[in-house]
Amino acid sequence: MNTKRIYLVLILLVSILAACGAPAPVPTAIPVAISTSTPVPAPTLATDGTAAITNGFWDAVLANDIDAAMAFVADDVQPSGGPGSFYDKATFGAFMSTKSETGFTYEIGDLRVVSEDTVRYDMKVYENGNLIASGLTTLTVVDGMIVQIKLP
């Protein structure tokens, strides 16, 4: 009689273990949230047009070729900001030339197109390697020439 009970318990245990070893159910797909808001376009990375003119200007400035940089600037440019006051291409060029000769360097980053004729970028100004100013700069180009630059 004991043998029957042992067999019965073993059969019961085997059945329980077999049920526990069954394969897991196939997972269901995770629902994806659907946005009902209007997507905001990412800023356009600047690669041509106004951006190319901006890059050409700053490449010349960084190479200490202020004459080449001023070739990108309109005669009636309206520069603003920075430590000086400028009212035309000549005063702006003189300022940039003086700064270039006295150890000023510039770091331009995150150039992005705002409109067909305007770009914005982050700018850092260094004097003899020390950061002295930073901020957002806006530059506007009309007919292939820089007509407005707002320095930090």
Side-chain angles (χ1 to χ4, degrees):
M1 184 72 104
N2 266 345
T3 310
K4 282 186 181 181
R5 282 186 188 172
I6 292 176
Y7 283 124
L8 189 58
V9 170
L10 281 177
I11 291 174
L12 184 62
L13 286 174
V14 168
S15 299
I16 292 172
L17 289 176
C20 290
V26 176
T28 59
I30 298 172
V32 177
I34 298 173
S35 174
T36 58
S37 64
T38 304
V40 176
T44 306
L45 294 178
T47 57
D48 59 358
T50 301
I53 292 166
T54 303
N55 286 327
F57 172 78
W58 284 109
D59 287 347
V61 169
L62 295 173
N64 290 324
D65 190 348
I66 302 305
D67 290 335
M70 290 299 114
F72 291 97
V73 177
D75 290 335
D76 59 349
V77 67
Q78 298 172 356
S80 62
S85 61
F86 329 100
Y87 51 88
D88 62 10
K89 182 177 181 175
T91 58
F92 183 55
F95 169 80
M96 293 300 290
S97 181
T98 300
K99 295 305 176 190
S100 177
E101 293 167 2
T102 57
F104 277 62
T105 56
Y106 308 90
E107 184 179 314
I108 307 303
D110 196 20
L111 183 66
R112 53 212 177 269
V113 175
V114 176
S115 68
E116 185 177 318
D117 64 352
T118 304
V119 294
R120 283 198 183 113
Y121 49 92
D122 298 322
M123 180 175 169
K124 294 181 180 177
V125 181
Y126 297 88
E127 182 176 13
N128 298 317
N130 298 312
L131 180 65
I132 60 167
S134 65
L136 188 64
T137 301
T138 303
L139 189 141
T140 304
V141 173
V142 174
D143 295 329
M145 301 297 282
I146 298 169
V147 296
Q148 186 176 48
I149 183 167
K150 295 179 182 176
L151 300 169

